[in-house]
């Protein structure tokens, strides 16, 4: 096997460029899966009653316990990953002359993406030949995870770093991501809706359908009167999105309502029997803004979302 070295542009093994894929804990993919695919993650933070919790895929703080707390009405706060944390995260690879690509949480939902870009510019002052790519997925939760699956697939099939970034530029808006929540209080607490809307919606048992716009920001799509109907609507959105590629991975995530997530899964399977579906927990950061019972679905469609 021929080994070629191109300084600061990555290692080439057997003609394939090697680069490190990085992400963050908002991708909501299993930690074991990331480890098996050599993807490294930086962790977001959440705070409850003055105690800082690390959103490390449930390793240091039980997600089930966290879900119980928000179900009981606890209102956590969240903080973005700062520039210093990204500097430390990226630098260990840059110092080894490894090319890196950070596939991260939507800049439309968090200032962390801006911090990552600032860290890149600071590192380039000391390592001007470093190859650091920043990809804003414009996605959240399993949406970021769904796009990360594509990054892993591309790397495994021998795609260069340029090709990988180009794929994201051309395809990331094809991601369809739909959400519903069971408690409007958390959307109000996070500044997504007004107090009046939250109060009236709760009284009328409104279950909102939300998605993420092309700028990576959360938006309301419609109001649905029952929980079950909102869940079935999620399933139908996925079935429509994947009709031209029904074998693709589909991700469902939930902040603790596993029965609701299973209902969505089974409705999809009833129409696509061999659907490749994984159901994952939503991490503490996003759950802090959705409350208990959020269910979300993610798949690649054929058209860019508008």
């Amino acid at each position: 096997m021929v080994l070629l070295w191109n300084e600061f542009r990555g290692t080439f093994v057997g003609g394939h460029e090697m680069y490190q894929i990085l992400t963050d804990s908002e991708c909501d993919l299993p930690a074991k899966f990331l480890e098996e695919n050599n993807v490294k993650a930086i962790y977001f933070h959440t705070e409850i009653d003055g105690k800082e919790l690390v959103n490390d895929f449930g390793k240091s703080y039980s997600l089930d316990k966290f879900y119980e707390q928000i179900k009981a009405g606890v209102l956590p706060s969240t903080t973005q990953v700062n520039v210093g944390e990204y500097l430390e995260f990226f630098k260990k690879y840059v110092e080894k002359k490894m090319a890196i690509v950070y596939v991260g949480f939507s800049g439309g939902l968090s200032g962390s993406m801006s911090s990552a870009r600032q860290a890149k510019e600071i590192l380039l002052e000391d390592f001007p030949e470093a190859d650091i790519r920043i990809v804003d997925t414009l996605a959240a939760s399993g949406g970021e995870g769904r796009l990360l699956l594509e990054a892993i697939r591309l790397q495994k099939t021998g795609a260069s770093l340029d090709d990988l970034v180009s794929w994201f530029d051309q395809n990331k808006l094809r991601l369809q991501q739909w959400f519903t929540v069971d408690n409007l209080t958390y959307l109000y607490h996070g500044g997504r809706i007004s107090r009046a809307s939250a109060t009236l919606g709760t009284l009328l048992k409104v279950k909102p359908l939300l998605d993420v716009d092309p700028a990576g920001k959360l938006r309301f799509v419609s109001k649905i009167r029952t929980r079950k109907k909102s869940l079935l609507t999620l399933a139908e959105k996925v079935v429509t999105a994947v009709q031209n590629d029904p074998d693709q991975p589909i991700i469902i995530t939930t902040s603790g309502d596993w029965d609701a997530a299973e209902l969505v899964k089974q409705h999809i399977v009833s129409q696509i029997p061999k659907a490749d579906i994984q159901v994952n927990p939503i991490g503490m950061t996003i759950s802090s803004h959705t409350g208990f019972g959020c269910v979300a679905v993610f798949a690649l469609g054929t058209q860019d979302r508008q």
Side-chain angles (χ1 to χ4, degrees):
M1 181 177 291
V2 178
L3 299 179
L4 302 175
W5 173 259
N6 184 359
E7 188 173 30
F8 292 105
R9 297 292 295 181
T11 305
F12 288 75
V13 180
H16 292 313
E17 182 183 1
M18 299 298 292
Y19 45 86
Q20 179 65 53
I21 297 176
L22 306 175
T23 190
D24 53 61
S25 53
E26 303 320 295
C27 69
D28 288 340
L29 291 176
K32 183 178 180 181
F33 173 82
L34 297 180
E35 292 167 4
E36 290 172 348
N37 289 279
N38 193 35
V39 176
K40 307 301 182 182
I42 193 169
Y43 302 143
F44 277 59
H45 310 278
T46 303
E47 187 175 292
I48 292 181
D49 297 329
K51 179 181 179 181
E52 183 177 279
L53 307 176
V54 179
N55 187 23
D56 56 3
F57 305 97
K59 294 177 184 177
S60 63
Y61 194 83
S62 166
L63 283 176
D64 287 337
K65 180 178 179 180
F66 185 79
Y67 295 151
E68 289 175 5
Q69 289 176 288
I70 58 175
K71 188 175 183 179
V74 172
L75 296 173
S77 60
T78 60
T79 56
Q80 65 189 48
V81 182
N82 62 44
V83 176
E85 289 173 293
Y86 277 112
L87 279 171
E88 183 179 350
F89 186 49
F90 295 159
K91 190 174 182 180
K92 67 184 71 173
Y93 303 101
V94 170
E95 288 180 330
K96 296 177 182 178
K97 301 181 180 180
M98 291 183 65
I100 60 175
V101 54
Y102 170 60
V103 180
F105 185 43
S106 174
L109 294 171
S110 170
S112 292
M113 182 55 64
S114 176
S115 295
R117 292 193 171 108
Q118 290 178 59
K120 171 184 174 179
E121 294 308 313
I122 292 171
L123 283 170
L124 288 175
E125 293 177 4
D126 293 329
F127 303 91
E129 298 302 318
D131 192 356
I132 306 169
R133 313 294 181 94
I134 307 292
V135 173
D136 184 344
T137 62
L138 302 174
S141 185
E144 179 184 338
R146 178 65 185 85
L147 291 175
L148 190 58
L149 293 182
E150 294 300 320
I152 293 168
R153 177 187 64 81
L154 287 165
Q155 185 181 54
K156 287 185 174 181
T157 56
S160 69
L161 187 48
D162 285 340
D163 288 342
L164 185 152
V165 173
S166 178
W167 184 93
F168 272 88
D169 289 342
Q170 296 173 27
N171 293 282
K172 65 184 178 182
L173 286 179
R174 288 174 47 214
L175 178 70
Q176 305 299 306
Q177 39 193 339
W178 301 91
F179 307 76
T180 190
V181 299
D182 197 34
N183 186 335
L184 295 172
T185 300
Y186 287 79
L187 291 178
Y188 160 67
H189 179 66
R192 306 296 180 184
I193 61 175
S194 68
R195 180 190 293 272
S197 294
T199 301
L200 183 60
T202 299
L203 288 172
L204 297 177
K205 298 183 179 180
V206 167
K207 306 302 179 185
L209 179 68
L210 309 99
D211 75 346
V212 177
D213 70 18
K217 297 180 179 181
L218 195 67
R219 66 180 171 187
F220 278 84
V221 176
S222 62
K223 299 176 182 178
I224 301 173
R225 283 298 301 270
T226 70
R227 172 72 163 169
K228 184 175 181 180
K229 186 175 180 181
S230 70
L231 297 172
L232 295 181
T233 300
L234 293 181
E236 288 299 328
K237 291 292 187 182
V238 168
V239 171
T240 299
V242 306
Q243 57 186 337
N244 292 325
D245 184 15
D247 296 329
Q248 68 166 286
I250 296 168
I251 295 178
I252 300 172
T253 59
T254 180
S255 54
D257 194 340
W258 302 106
D259 290 341
E262 184 64 21
L263 176 65
V264 174
K265 177 181 177 180
Q266 291 306 319
H267 192 72
I268 296 170
V269 170
S270 71
Q271 300 182 66
I272 309 174
K274 295 183 179 180
D276 177 9
I277 303 174
Q278 58 177 283
V279 181
N280 298 327
I282 298 176
M284 291 187 290
T285 301
I286 296 175
S287 294
S288 296
H289 296 280
T290 66
F292 178 85
C294 176
V295 180
V297 294
F298 309 93
L300 289 178
T302 56
Q303 302 294 324
D304 287 359
R305 60 183 189 269
Q306 302 296 318

